C-alpha cells in the first residue's frame, strides 16, 4: 500500500509538471502572437500610410499642372500673348483628362467658374452642359464652403488684377485607400484569432490526454492494493479482531475504492443520473463533517424551493464538494465558519460555498483554477482544476469565485442546469 501511495505521488508530480508546462507554453504563445500581431499591424499601417501620402502628393502635382494649364489658357484668352492652337489643344487635354479628382474653379469673389467630377443631385443636361441647375449650384456652393477649410487649395494668379482659386478633393481611389488600413486590421485580427484558437485547441487536446493518462494510471495504481486490503479486512474479521476496528478499516478501504472510481470516471464521460440538489449536497458533506476540525462551524442552508432536480454523477459531485470544503478549511487554518447555501437561480441550481479564510486576490480569481496553482506547501494544485473540469465539462455548469476579500473569506459559486419540468 505504501509503495502504491508513493507511485501515485510520483505520478501526480510528473503530471503536475507536465500540465504546468502546457499552461506556461500557452502563456508564451499568447505573448508571442500578440507581439507578432502588433508588428504586422504596425508594418501594414505604416506601408498604407506611406501609399496614401504618396498618392496625395501625386494628386497635388496633377492639380498644380491642371492649375498651370488653366492659367496659360486664361492668359492666352486675355491677349497677353499669342498661343498656337496645338498648345491650346494640349492644355485643354490636360484639363479634360481629369476624370477622378473632384475640382472647383472660382474667382476671387467665390463665383464658381468650373466644376468637374462631382456627383451632382441632378443630371447635367447634355444639350446645355455649361448650364448648372439651381439645385446643383446649391450643392456646389456647399461643397465650396467645406473645401475652403481644407489644405487642397491652389491659387492661380492670372495677372495682377485677376486671381482664381482651384479647390479639389481626394479622388475616389485615395478615399478607398484611406480605408484600406482598417480592412487590413480586421483581416489581421481574424487571422490572429484563427491561429490563437487553433493553438488553444491543440493545447487543450494535449491537456485532455494528460488528464486521461492521469486518471487511468491512478485508478490502476490504487486498484491492486485496494483489492488486497479488502481481503485483509475480511481475514481480520475471521481472526476475531475487534469489530469496531475492522469496521473503521472497511470504511477507509471503501473510501479508497470510491477515490479510485472517481479517477476512472475522469478519463471518460461519466453516467449521469437524476438527483435532487439538496440531498446531493448534504450527502456529499457527510464524510467531511466528521473529518474537519471541530473549530470549524459547518452550516448547510437549504429550502424546499432550492431542492431542484439536476443531472449528476454523484461520486464526482461529492469530489467537488469535498475539494471545496478541504480548500476552505485550509484557508481558515482549521478555525472559522464554512457555510454552504443552496438557492434557486431560475434555470440554474446555485450552490455557494463561503468560508471565513484568508481570501483570494482579485487578480487570481481565474488563475486559481489553473493546474499547479496552490498556496499550500504541500499539494499539487490540481484540486480546483479537477473541480472546474467536473462541473463545466461533465455537468454543463459553471464554477467561479463569486466574491473574496483578503482577510475576510471567499465565496465559490457553482451553477448547475436544472432538469426541465416539461
Amino acid at each position: 500500500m505504501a509503495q502504491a501511495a508513493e507511485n501515485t505521488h510520483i505520478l501526480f508530480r510528473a503530471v503536475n509538471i507536465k500540465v504546468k508546462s502546457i499552461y506556461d507554453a500557452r502563456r508564451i504563445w499568447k505573448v508571442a502572437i500578440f507581439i507578432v500581431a502588433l508588428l504586422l499591424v504596425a508594418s501594414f499601417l505604416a506601408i498604407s500610410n506611406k501609399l496614401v501620402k504618396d498618392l496625395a502628393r501625386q494628386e497635388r502635382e496633377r492639380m498644380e499642372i491642371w492649375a498651370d494649364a488653366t492659367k496659360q489658357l486664361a492668359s492666352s484668352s486675355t491677349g497677353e500673348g499669342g498661343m498656337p492652337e496645338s498648345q491650346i489643344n494640349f492644355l485643354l487635354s490636360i484639363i479634360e483628362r481629369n476624370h477622378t479628382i473632384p475640382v472647383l474653379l472660382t474667382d476671387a469673389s467665390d463665383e464658381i467658374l468650373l466644376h468637374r467630377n462631382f456627383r451632382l443631385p441632378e443630371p447635367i443636361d447634355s444639350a446645355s452642359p455649361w448650364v448648372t441647375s439651381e439645385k446643383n449650384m446649391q450643392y456646389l456652393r456647399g461643397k465650396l464652403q467645406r473645401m475652403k477649410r481644407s489644405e487642397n487649395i491652389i491659387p492661380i494668379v492670372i495677372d495682377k488684377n485677376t486671381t482664381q482659386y482651384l479647390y479639389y478633393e481626394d479622388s475616389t481611389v485615395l478615399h478607398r485607400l484611406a480605408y484600406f488600413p482598417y480592412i487590413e486590421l480586421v483581416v489581421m485580427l481574424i487571422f490572429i484569432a484563427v491561429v490563437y484558437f487553433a493553438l488553444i485547441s491543440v493545447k487543450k487536446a494535449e491537456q485532455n490526454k494528460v488528464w486521461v493518462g492521469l486518471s487511468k494510471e491512478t485508478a490502476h495504481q490504487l486498484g491492486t492494493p485496494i483489492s488486497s486490503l479488502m481481503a485483509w479486512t475480511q481475514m481480520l474479521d475471521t481472526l476475531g479482531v475487534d469489530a469496531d476496528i475492522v469496521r473503521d478499516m472497511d470504511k477507509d478501504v471503501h473510501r479508497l475504492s470510491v477515490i479510485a472510481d472517481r479517477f476512472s470516471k475522469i478519463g471518460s464521460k461519466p453516467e449521469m443520473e437524476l438527483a435532487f440538489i439538496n440531498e446531493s449536497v448534504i450527502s456529499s458533506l457527510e464524510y467531511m463533517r466528521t473529518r474537519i476540525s471541530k473549530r470549524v462551524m459547518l452550516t448547510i442552508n437549504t429550502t424546499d424551493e432550492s431542492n431542484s432536480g439536476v443531472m449528476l454523477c454523484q461520486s464526482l459531485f461529492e469530489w467537488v464538494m469535498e475539494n471545496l470544503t478541504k480548500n476552505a478549511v485550509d484557508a481558515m487554518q482549521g478555525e472559522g465558519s464554512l457555510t454552504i447555501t443552496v438557492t434557486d437561480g431560475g434555470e440554474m441550481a446555485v450552490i455557494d460555498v463561503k468560508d471565513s479564510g484568508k481570501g483570494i486576490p482579485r487578480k487570481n480569481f481565474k488563475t486559481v483554477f489553473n493546474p499547479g496553482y496552490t498556496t499550500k506547501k504541500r499539494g499539487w494544485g490540481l484540486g480546483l482544476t479537477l473541480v472546474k473540469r467536473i462541473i463545466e465539462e461533465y455537468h454543463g455548469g459553471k464554477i467561479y469565485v463569486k466574491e473574496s476579500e483578503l482577510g475576510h473569506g471567499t465565496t465559490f459559486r457553482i451553477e448547475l442546469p436544472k432538469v426541465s419540468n416539461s
Side-chain angles (χ1 to χ4, degrees):
M1 184 66 184
Q3 182 62 42
E6 179 63 22
N7 291 343
T8 304
H9 178 82
I10 293 171
L11 174 66
F12 265 108
R13 283 291 185 187
V15 170
N16 187 34
I17 292 171
K18 178 67 174 176
V19 175
K20 285 181 71 176
S21 69
I22 290 173
Y23 273 84
D24 290 341
R26 184 181 295 181
R27 282 192 289 268
I28 292 171
W29 273 108
K30 285 180 181 178
V31 174
I33 290 173
F34 182 72
I35 292 173
V36 170
L38 284 180
L39 291 174
L40 288 174
V41 170
S43 300
F44 282 131
L45 289 178
I47 293 170
S48 300
N49 189 49
K50 186 176 185 304
L51 287 173
V52 170
K53 287 183 177 179
D54 289 345
L55 185 58
R57 185 174 63 252
Q58 291 177 15
E59 290 191 353
R60 177 79 181 189
E61 291 171 354
R62 287 177 61 189
M63 288 297 96
E64 288 174 349
I65 293 172
W66 202 93
D68 188 56
T70 302
K71 177 181 178 180
Q72 292 187 47
L73 284 172
S75 299
S76 174
S77 64
T78 57
E80 292 183 1
M83 182 180 295
E85 185 178 349
S86 60
Q87 187 173 353
I88 293 175
N89 292 334
F90 173 71
L91 294 174
L92 288 172
S93 69
I94 291 175
I95 295 173
E96 293 295 329
R97 284 176 186 172
N98 173 28
H99 301 293
T100 57
I101 304 174
V103 176
L104 278 179
L105 183 66
T106 71
D107 58 19
S109 60
D110 288 345
E111 187 69 27
I112 297 175
L113 307 176
L114 182 145
H115 62 84
R116 291 186 65 84
N117 304 323
F118 287 100
R119 293 184 178 180
L120 300 174
E122 292 183 347
I124 297 175
D125 187 357
S126 58
S128 307
W130 58 88
V131 178
T132 304
S133 67
E134 182 59 29
K135 187 173 183 179
N136 286 345
M137 188 57 68
Q138 289 179 359
Y139 170 82
L140 292 173
R141 290 193 189 102
K143 276 285 185 182
L144 176 61
Q145 295 306 313
R146 289 190 291 273
M147 294 169 77
K148 289 178 72 173
R149 295 192 291 268
S150 74
E151 297 179 354
N152 297 341
I153 306 172
I154 301 175
I156 305 174
V157 180
I158 307 299
D159 54 42
K160 62 182 180 180
N161 297 320
T162 308
T163 300
Q164 296 178 351
Y165 294 91
L166 178 68
Y167 300 89
Y168 68 94
E169 288 184 341
D170 294 334
S171 66
T172 303
V173 174
L174 189 57
H175 271 299
R176 290 174 179 173
L177 190 59
Y179 289 107
F180 187 64
Y182 301 101
I183 298 173
E184 286 180 328
L185 184 60
V186 171
V187 172
M188 286 301 305
L189 289 174
I190 293 173
F191 172 75
I192 291 165
V194 170
V195 172
Y196 175 78
F197 284 112
L199 288 172
I200 291 297
S201 298
V202 170
K203 294 297 180 183
K204 189 172 183 179
E206 185 177 351
Q207 182 187 353
N208 285 335
K209 289 181 181 179
V210 172
W211 283 118
V212 172
L214 164 67
S215 60
K216 299 291 186 185
E217 185 61 24
T218 302
H220 174 72
Q221 289 287 342
L222 292 174
T224 302
I226 288 171
S227 299
S228 178
L229 283 170
M230 287 179 177
W232 277 109
T233 55
Q234 292 175 2
M235 180 176 290
L236 290 174
D237 190 32
T238 61
L239 293 174
V241 177
D242 189 298
D244 291 336
I245 295 175
V246 175
R247 188 163 47 251
D248 287 341
M249 288 182 65
D250 275 335
K251 288 181 181 179
D252 288 334
V253 172
H254 176 71
R255 181 66 181 173
L256 286 173
S257 179
V258 169
I259 292 171
D261 180 64
R262 289 171 176 173
F263 276 110
S264 68
K265 287 181 168 66
I266 285 291
S268 57
K269 190 72 174 178
E271 293 184 7
M272 314 296 280
E273 296 179 352
L274 177 62
F276 290 95
I277 195 66
N278 287 359
E279 286 81 353
S280 295
V281 169
I282 293 170
S283 173
S284 300
L285 295 172
E286 283 181 358
Y287 178 82
M288 295 301 299
R289 187 184 289 275
T290 58
R291 285 166 175 78
I292 61 177
S293 171
K294 296 186 181 300
R295 293 178 297 171
V296 174
M297 181 183 298
L298 176 60
T299 305
I300 303 174
N301 297 322
T302 61
T303 63
D304 291 339
E305 290 76 14
S306 68
N307 198 24
S308 307
V310 293
M311 297 302 294
L312 286 182
C313 174
Q314 185 63 33
S315 61
L316 291 183
F317 180 70
E318 288 176 359
W319 198 359
V320 168
M321 298 306 298
E322 290 169 16
N323 261 309
L324 292 176
T325 302
K326 285 189 287 187
N327 282 351
V329 172
D330 290 338
M332 295 184 291
Q333 298 180 336
E335 183 176 3
S337 63
L338 174 60
T339 305
I340 289 88
T341 304
V342 184
T343 55
D344 185 355
E347 296 181 355
M348 294 288 196
V350 177
I351 307 162
D352 287 335
V353 180
K354 182 177 182 180
D355 65 62
S356 58
K358 56 188 176 183
I360 300 171
R362 179 167 290 277
K363 65 179 181 180
N364 293 336
F365 276 17
K366 292 184 179 180
T367 56
V368 293
F369 295 102
N370 289 346
Y373 180 90
T374 180
T375 58
K376 296 178 285 189
K377 294 181 180 179
R378 294 180 60 84
W380 303 297
L382 294 176
L384 287 177
T385 307
L386 286 167
V387 164
K388 186 176 180 67
R389 184 182 180 89
I390 291 168
I391 292 296
E392 297 190 355
E393 294 192 23
Y394 295 159
H395 290 83
K398 288 176 62 178
I399 181 168
Y400 53 93
V401 180
K402 178 177 179 285
E403 57 186 9
S404 186
E405 185 178 353
L406 294 177
H408 291 84
T410 300
T411 301
F412 282 89
R413 170 163 286 188
I414 299 172
E415 297 178 0
L416 294 171
K418 292 159 55 176
V419 175
S420 173
N421 293 328
S422 59

